[in-house]
Amino acid sequence: MLSNLSIKNYALIDGLNVSFANGFTCITGETGAGKSILLGGLSLVLGKRADLSTLRDKNEKCIIESEFEIEQYNLESFFKNNDLDYEKTTIIRREILPSGKSRAFINDTPVNLDVLSKLGARLIDVHSQHQTLRLAENEFQFKVIDSLANNGEALKDYQGHLRTYQSIVKELDRLMDFQSNAIKEHEYNSFLLNELEGAKLEDGMLEQLEEQYQQLSNVETIVEQLSKGHNVLNDDQVGILNLLTELKQVSTRLSGYGTAYEALSERIQSVFIEADDISSEFQELMEHADMNPGLLDEVNTKLQLLYNLQKKHGTQEISVLLQIKEELAVKVDATENIESAIDAKRDELVKQKSLLNKLAALISKERQKVTPELKKQLEEQLSLLGMPSAQFKIEWSPSEDFKKNGQDELSFLFSANKGTDFGDIKKVASGGELSRIMLTIKSILAKYENLPTMMFDEIDTGVSGEISNRMADIMLEMSKTMQVFSITHLPQVASKGNHHFKVYKEDRDQLTHTNMKELSQDERVVELAEMLGGKDLSDSALAHAKELLN
């Protein structure tokens, strides 16, 4: 409930601080006294966009602050999801700076208008002429019926599965688009993949092939040089091995004369062994260095294939070609298996569709079950409000489409008088009738939902005194379970309030100021008398006012 409202530097208000209690609160005041200003200020803390022109003093900032007791509204998850501190007494503050910049805070945490308006909608329901037009909107009509049908949890379940269904549809569309485009590329991708697979790519193979090609194409030169090297080592007279043999013999004879000579002998022995091993290596390489034109052609062919693949795919690295091959394999495999993926997704869609049909049918069944009761309550209540011939025609028809609230088409028609055709509510009902219908609907909803604070802005416009008395009774009854405000110009309504506030103007310092105060019992008598008979109070008006209060 709204427990306190503070307004500074807004329109005709210098400073206003007023506290409210639970129950039924009536707000009265002469035309132009500033009741709309009060609502305008309140709307700012509910998320309405700010207007710099509303600043009374253009050099000072406007501050509007409201306190709400929110324990009964189950808003803990909302605060958690929006990173806000949850407090049972929550304070909302809105500031409009002279620069035109606007700031909003919930429990001293800065928030944007989207978060503010979402919270505001769950704290106060301001009923105005504009909102009355919602009667003709299917969304509002569904909300009313689903509240009576207690479809809240069922709708949450349905909407969760609907999101899954829509996700499956989206994925199926993506797969089918992929298939359509992939078929065009499949043949070319398969060709490229076969070409890369045929090359039997391996990391390092290019270097190995280029080395092998160099050896095969220069085999004569290699053999010639190997032969020369072998002769240098093995010549009978001046060969290195023969000379090292003599040197080894010398060092062996010296080795017995000390450790230095022994070490020298070992080093020469090592050199001899290495030279002998090199000679064997020369011999082995010569034996394997035969000319092989066929192998040379094979290596050259492989090299040319690699060079062509590198050029085609714009890379010099075999590792990149291997990566491209893997990517092509994925594309080709995906294309070749896309049909099975599509079939699997279609099966998934059929199952989800079947589940949605069942959930939608359950929701529809509950709606149709409560429709006669809603029709009965509406017509009975409206009869008491001076509309004895009011009738509703509420009809359901199935829809093939999955809508966000099920598979029902709703026809919600109204007739105010006997013998007249049923039609769209906003077309066939007058302003006063619309107000009474909306009040009736809200009173019915209050029995089934934990509604926020309700503020009725002159909902009694266009109705007679007796009817307004009955409307006041309805609002008073609603206020037993919730906080209800009524901005009214009728004494019959104002007299029913548990609390009565008056909005008034006064001139000070050559400026007009709007103020608001709670009236005492005696002040209420005077206010009601003035509403009944004008400023010139008569005994009969005062007596009538006391009678209304009693």
Side-chain angles (χ1 to χ4, degrees), residues 43 58 90 105 264 274 281 301 313 370 378 414 468 535:
S43 69
K58 305 300 181 184
T90 282
F105 304 87
L264 182 63
E274 182 67 18
E281 187 77 15
T301 300
H313 294 283
V370 301
L378 284 171
F414 174 72
S468 65
K535 289 290 185 182

Side-chain angles (χ1 to χ4, degrees), residues 87-344:
E87 301 288 347
K88 292 179 181 178
T89 299
T90 282
I91 298 175
I92 301 177
R93 187 172 77 256
R94 187 80 181 276
E95 297 180 356
I96 307 170
L97 306 181
S99 63
K101 184 178 180 181
S102 169
R103 299 185 299 191
F105 304 87
I106 297 175
N107 291 332
D108 285 331
T109 299
V111 295
N112 58 37
L113 287 190
D114 181 57
V115 173
L116 188 63
S117 62
K118 286 178 179 176
L119 177 60
R122 299 177 69 170
L123 295 177
I124 294 187
D125 182 354
V126 179
H127 172 88
S128 61
Q129 187 176 7
H130 171 73
Q131 196 201 42
T132 303
L133 298 178
R134 291 190 62 206
L135 283 169
E137 297 174 3
N138 249 188
E139 183 178 355
F140 180 77
Q141 295 162 358
F142 271 108
K143 180 183 176 182
V144 173
I145 294 169
D146 285 325
S147 294
L148 271 65
N150 196 25
N151 272 338
E153 290 302 317
L155 280 167
K156 283 183 182 178
D157 191 23
Y158 168 85
Q159 287 161 358
H161 287 288
L162 178 60
R163 286 191 291 271
T164 302
Y165 174 82
Q166 291 167 338
S167 176
I168 296 171
V169 170
K170 187 176 180 180
E171 177 62 13
L172 180 59
D173 289 342
R174 188 194 68 79
L175 288 172
M176 295 182 72
D177 286 342
F178 176 82
Q179 181 188 44
S180 176
N181 295 323
I183 287 174
K184 302 170 187 175
E185 300 176 6
H186 179 63
E187 187 174 338
Y188 181 59
N189 286 338
S190 297
F191 169 76
L192 293 177
L193 179 61
N194 291 335
E195 198 174 43
L196 288 169
E197 288 179 337
K200 298 180 180 178
L201 300 171
E202 293 179 10
D203 278 327
M205 69 180 297
L206 180 62
E207 293 78 6
Q208 293 174 2
L209 286 171
E210 287 177 335
E211 181 181 307
Q212 190 177 9
Y213 178 80
Q214 287 296 322
Q215 292 174 2
L216 288 170
S217 59
N218 294 283
V219 66
E220 293 180 354
T221 301
I222 291 171
V223 170
E224 180 183 346
Q225 296 303 314
L226 286 172
S227 179
K228 284 184 179 180
H230 188 268
N231 288 336
V232 168
L233 286 166
N234 293 283
D235 187 90
D236 291 337
Q237 296 182 0
V238 293
I240 291 174
L241 284 174
N242 287 332
L243 295 175
L244 283 173
T245 299
E246 292 181 16
L247 186 60
K248 186 173 67 168
Q249 291 170 353
V250 170
S251 65
T252 300
R253 285 193 288 271
L254 288 170
S255 63
Y257 295 106
T259 56
Y261 299 109
E262 184 179 359
L264 182 63
S265 176
E266 290 176 355
R267 289 172 65 192
I268 292 172
Q269 179 69 22
S270 297
V271 172
F272 177 81
I273 291 171
E274 182 67 18
D276 187 53
D277 188 59
I278 291 172
S279 174
S280 299
E281 187 77 15
F282 271 113
Q283 183 66 38
E284 185 177 353
L285 288 171
M286 281 193 295
E287 290 174 358
H288 289 88
D290 295 334
M291 294 183 64
N292 190 338
L295 181 58
L296 178 61
D297 287 343
E298 182 180 334
V299 171
N300 184 52
T301 300
K302 287 183 178 180
L303 278 174
Q304 292 307 313
L305 174 60
L306 289 182
Y307 293 149
N308 289 337
L309 288 173
Q310 286 177 328
K311 183 178 180 181
K312 178 180 288 186
H313 294 283
T315 180
Q316 297 295 317
E317 304 294 331
I318 296 298
S319 61
V320 176
L321 288 177
L322 285 167
Q323 183 179 345
I324 292 171
K325 186 185 79 168
E326 290 178 7
E327 292 171 355
L328 285 168
V330 170
K331 288 182 179 179
V332 169
D333 181 67
T335 305
E336 291 174 349
N337 293 286
I338 192 67
E339 197 63 48
S340 60
I342 289 175
D343 289 341

Side-chain angles (χ1 to χ4, degrees), residues 365-527:
K365 181 180 177 182
E366 294 303 314
R367 286 170 174 167
Q368 294 181 48
K369 189 187 297 184
V370 301
T371 297
E373 178 60 24
L374 173 62
K375 182 178 183 299
K376 178 184 175 185
Q377 288 193 47
L378 284 171
E379 292 174 355
E380 286 180 351
Q381 287 267 34
L382 289 175
S383 179
L384 295 174
L385 292 176
M387 297 173 64
S389 300
Q391 288 184 314
F392 288 87
K393 182 186 287 186
I394 305 173
E395 296 178 340
W396 299 96
S397 58
S399 169
E400 291 296 321
D401 299 327
F402 291 118
K403 300 188 291 185
K404 68 178 182 179
N405 60 358
Q407 282 185 289
D408 286 320
E409 297 287 354
L410 170 61
S411 174
F412 199 105
L413 302 177
F414 174 72
S415 171
N417 302 295
K418 290 182 179 179
T420 59
D421 293 334
F422 285 90
D424 189 306
I425 292 179
K426 69 179 179 182
K427 293 180 179 178
V428 299
S430 66
E433 289 170 339
L434 286 172
S435 294
R436 280 174 276 179
I437 294 170
M438 180 59 90
L439 177 60
T440 300
I441 287 176
K442 290 290 175 71
S443 69
I444 293 172
L445 279 176
K447 300 175 185 176
Y448 299 90
E449 276 193 14
N450 184 20
L451 295 178
T453 290
M454 193 73 62
M455 184 164 288
F456 294 104
D457 182 16
E458 298 192 349
I459 195 171
D460 45 30
T461 299
V463 298
S464 66
E466 181 56 32
I467 300 305
S468 65
N469 192 51
R470 291 173 182 170
M471 292 177 75
D473 285 336
I474 291 174
M475 288 185 276
L476 183 60
E477 182 65 27
M478 290 173 66
S479 72
K480 291 178 181 178
T481 57
M482 59 190 293
Q483 187 184 38
V484 178
F485 287 87
S486 176
I487 298 175
T488 181
H489 63 281
L490 293 180
Q492 291 86 351
V493 175
S495 65
K496 295 290 178 72
N498 304 119
H499 317 280
H500 188 162
F501 286 81
K502 180 177 180 178
V503 178
Y504 62 97
K505 285 181 182 179
E506 60 180 357
D507 294 331
R508 295 195 314 269
D509 304 324
Q510 297 183 335
L511 291 174
T512 300
H513 304 265
T514 287
N515 283 306
M516 181 178 183
K517 68 174 183 178
E518 185 170 9
L519 301 180
S520 66
Q521 187 73 359
D522 288 341
E523 289 172 329
R524 289 187 74 179
V525 171
V526 173
E527 175 68 7

